[in-house]
Amino acid sequence: MMAEQNNQVQLKNYNRRSVLNYIRKNGTATKAGLASVTGLTFMAIKKILAELEELNLIRSDQMESTGIGRKAVSYAINENYRYSIGIHINKFVTGVVLMNLQGQVLAMEKYSTDKEFAGQNEFVDVLIQAVDRVIENSGISREKILGIGVGAPGPIDYESGMMLTPPNMPILNYLPLREILEENTGFPVFLNKDTNVIAFGEYWCGEAKDCNTLVYVDADMGIGSGLIIDGKLNIGANGIAGEFGHITLDINGPLCNCGNKGCLEAVSSGIAVLKALGRQLEQKEKHPLYQKRNELLIEDVFEMAKKKDMLTMSILNQSAYYLGVAVSSLINILDPEIVIMGGILIQRYPMYFDIVKDVADQRKVKGAKENRMLVSSLKESAGAIGAGEIVADHFFNKRVNEVFMKN
């Protein structure tokens, strides 16, 4: 008898979560719409919505025309029920946001990470101060915050919440980031790889709201990707899914930061672009960047490309060509509904995306329907927003059961 009761409670909570997540993904929903997608009866949906409204998790939003004169009430997530904090740690800039449950950013802090920190202690102190500032600036009380999501350069030990050895950010080597943040803030912390949280941000708040399977490709100082399958983040068996930058394109190619030769990252990333330009400048004393050839910044490359400098443009175009080749393989293996591209190379050099798309389309399996390829609309905010959404996702799929126990 007890087991039967328990099963009934589990089923009831499953149905409530399904309704909540449908509303969350679609922004709003009506009773009739929910009944048709969930397969539950109109009366069951009516009861669930009344319960969710009583718990303050949803609110009636507006009257929607049904097309036959009558108007139906639509429901939305109560965005102010709780809040989340998202952090995106990047080689150049770290962003911290405080968001409501509809993914709207209420407060944001950004600071440069492209500088020398005295050590890991200083790095963590600056991060915690930024978290405190977004809470203060938002005016939200700490009890209403569900937790902190963090996107950071991989590889990451998911079990222990420890950073391992991110090739482009040695300051993070073996930093037990989850434990330190939990101890210093009092919030639960969800640590994930940067490209995974960016993919999650695109899925919930970007151009990919209408799809269930997407790949995010990050063309930045490093190259990475994040994968969403059926609305769930796919991190793989050992947490390394999406290490797209470390597929081999040329077995005799240049040495990569990871220790292998000819990785995509070694021929296509921002770091690869700077190395290639530095090498070529050795023979070009008359080039405006000749004097800086040993201390080039990616900004220098974009400035020269903007001035239509053939050398920098040819190196960027070659980088885009390699990425296009790799993306065609990604499409052939995964066949995602949508491929979203972001990162500094895409954002700062407009031709980059066009080249990647053309090359990928030419090289993928012939006769297949075209996969949508888009530039990220969230740009550099995607990571912090996605990190916050990971906290919200954990709430709506797990912790919300504690709320249901009150009703």
Side-chain angles (χ1 to χ4, degrees):
M1 188 68 183
M2 199 64 189
E4 198 179 313
Q5 247 180 335
N6 201 19
N7 287 344
Q8 281 179 334
V9 169
Q10 282 185 345
L11 180 62
K12 186 179 175 183
N13 288 348
Y14 172 80
N15 289 337
R16 288 160 152 185
R17 287 196 308 274
S18 300
V19 167
L20 267 178
N21 279 308
Y22 182 83
I23 297 172
R24 184 174 163 232
K25 184 64 179 154
N26 290 276
T28 59
T30 60
K31 291 184 187 116
L34 283 162
S36 71
V37 293
T38 59
L40 296 167
T41 65
F42 189 83
M43 288 313 291
I45 289 292
K46 191 176 172 184
K47 186 169 186 286
I48 288 170
L49 289 171
E51 289 163 354
L52 295 176
E53 208 169 1
E54 195 181 327
L55 289 167
N56 227 1
L57 288 163
I58 62 169
R59 55 179 175 77
S60 52
D61 187 50
Q62 62 202 34
M63 303 293 272
E64 268 182 32
S65 172
T66 56
I68 45 172
R70 301 218 339 260
K71 290 201 168 184
V73 179
S74 70
Y75 294 85
I77 295 295
N78 174 13
E79 63 270 48
N80 301 322
Y81 179 79
R82 289 291 183 274
Y83 302 85
S84 65
I85 290 170
I87 297 172
H88 180 208
I89 298 170
N90 177 277
K91 180 177 166 59
F92 294 113
V93 175
T94 287
V96 182
V97 299
L98 188 141
M99 294 158 40
N100 66 22
L101 287 181
Q102 286 191 4
Q104 292 151 335
V105 173
L106 307 182
M108 180 187 282
E109 282 285 320
K110 283 187 175 177
Y111 63 90
S112 171
T113 18
D114 193 23
K115 61 176 182 122
E116 284 296 314
F117 285 91
Q120 288 187 335
N121 277 355
E122 190 199 352
F123 183 89
V124 170
D125 286 345
V126 172
L127 187 56
I128 291 162
Q129 285 162 21
V131 168
D132 289 338
R133 277 199 303 276
V134 289
I135 297 172
E136 201 178 313
N137 295 342
S138 69
I140 302 298
S141 69
R142 290 180 89 94
E143 306 79 68
K144 284 213 146 199
I145 295 168
L146 293 166
I148 298 174
V150 183
I156 289 168
D157 182 329
Y158 283 88
E159 232 165 276
S160 66
M162 185 182 284
M163 305 300 303
L164 294 174
T165 51
N168 304 325
M169 277 192 89
I171 185 80
L172 297 173
N173 282 4
Y174 300 109
L175 178 68
L177 190 57
R178 185 172 69 205
E179 193 184 327
I180 288 172
L181 283 177
E182 286 186 341
E183 273 177 23
N184 284 278
T185 64
F187 297 122
V189 171
F190 303 85
L191 180 61
N192 226 302
K193 208 168 57 177
D194 49 6
T195 46
N196 286 343
V197 300
I198 297 171
F200 213 61
E202 294 292 347
Y203 175 73
W204 281 106
C205 303
E207 297 289 320
K209 282 192 197 146
D210 61 341
C211 78
N212 277 317
T213 303
L214 79 95
V215 174
Y216 170 76
V217 174
D218 201 44
D220 212 276
M221 295 313 284
I223 303 274
S225 69
L227 181 58
I228 306 277
I229 296 176
D230 290 335
K232 296 275 176 270
L233 201 50
N234 180 25
I235 65 167
N238 302 297
I240 63 163
E243 285 294 348
F244 180 51
H246 300 291
I247 59 171
T248 304
L249 278 198
D250 176 2
I251 53 171
N252 300 311
L255 190 66
C256 181
N257 277 346
C258 75
N260 288 332
K261 279 188 167 184
C263 290
L264 173 61
E265 192 159 297
V267 293
S268 190
S269 65
I271 289 171
V273 165
L274 292 179
K275 282 182 180 169
L277 182 57
R279 280 194 305 272
Q280 297 219 25
L281 284 171
E282 290 294 342
Q283 322 316 308
K284 298 191 172 17
E285 290 181 31
K286 292 196 167 70
H287 194 279
L289 290 177
Y290 178 75
Q291 298 300 333
K292 278 192 83 176
R293 66 193 181 282
N294 296 320
E295 56 223 31
L296 289 166
L297 301 172
I298 199 72
E299 281 301 321
D300 301 325
V301 180
F302 297 134
E303 282 306 312
M304 291 309 294
K306 209 187 273 180
K307 294 172 183 168
K308 300 284 184 273
D309 170 63
M310 289 313 296
L311 178 62
T312 48
M313 285 174 74
S314 69
I315 290 170
L316 283 166
N317 293 353
Q318 179 74 354
S319 155
Y321 175 80
Y322 277 125
L323 189 58
V325 171
V327 167
S328 71
S329 299
L330 202 58
I331 291 171
N332 287 345
I333 294 165
L334 297 168
D335 190 22
E337 289 173 68
I338 189 167
V339 177
I340 296 181
M341 303 209 58
I344 199 166
L345 298 175
I346 295 281
Q347 287 163 20
R348 298 295 307 277
Y349 184 57
M351 270 172 65
Y352 200 95
F353 173 75
D354 300 331
I355 294 169
V356 174
K357 187 175 185 322
D358 283 351
V359 173
D361 282 340
Q362 284 165 25
R363 296 182 67 98
K364 68 175 194 179
V365 170
K366 301 291 174 275
K369 208 174 85 177
E370 194 173 331
N371 301 70
R372 278 163 66 200
M373 283 183 75
L374 298 171
V375 174
S376 165
S377 59
L378 297 178
K379 298 185 177 156
E380 59 275 3
S381 306
I385 288 171
E389 284 294 351
I390 282 185
V391 180
D393 201 59
H394 181 263
F395 171 73
F396 282 113
N397 287 295
K398 294 205 169 69
R399 273 184 66 190
V400 76
N401 290 329
E402 296 163 24
V403 181
F404 294 156
M405 283 167 75
K406 298 173 192 169
N407 185 309

